[in-house]
Amino acid sequence: MYKNVLQAIDGIEIYPLISFTIFFVFFLGLIVYVILMDKKYVKAMSAIACENETEDTTFEGLRQ
């Protein structure tokens, strides 16, 4: 039933091509962005989680 309804719509065959193109361009752009990222920045951001904090930044520490 749905197959007949979708086949009756003129120009329906373009929608899968458009969605695939958007999907492909997005992930291609994401891969290029990751490859071109500044490696020093990535290393600095990854080290933040391992550093010891001197201040109490938890919710309980902010209430006092």
Side-chain angles (χ1 to χ4, degrees), residues 39-54:
K39 304 306 181 225
K40 292 179 185 177
Y41 176 76
V42 173
K43 190 164 191 130
M45 291 297 114
S46 66
I48 288 176
C50 298
E51 294 177 0
N52 292 332
E53 294 185 18
T54 57

Side-chain angles (χ1 to χ4, degrees), residues 3 5 8-9 14 19 22-24 29-31 39 47 54 60:
K3 187 175 183 181
V5 172
I9 300 173
I14 194 70
S19 62
I22 292 171
F23 176 82
F24 184 75
L30 191 63
I31 289 171
K39 304 306 181 225
T54 57
E60 292 298 323

Side-chain angles (χ1 to χ4, degrees), residues 11-61:
I12 193 75
E13 65 275 354
I14 194 70
Y15 291 111
L17 294 174
I18 291 172
S19 62
F20 175 73
T21 303
I22 292 171
F23 176 82
F24 184 75
V25 167
F26 173 78
F27 282 104
L28 186 63
L30 191 63
I31 289 171
V32 169
Y33 173 74
V34 168
I35 290 172
L36 297 178
M37 277 179 83
D38 184 24
K39 304 306 181 225
K40 292 179 185 177
Y41 176 76
V42 173
K43 190 164 191 130
M45 291 297 114
S46 66
I48 288 176
C50 298
E51 294 177 0
N52 292 332
E53 294 185 18
T54 57
E55 297 180 12
D56 188 8
T57 57
T58 62
F59 183 70
E60 292 298 323

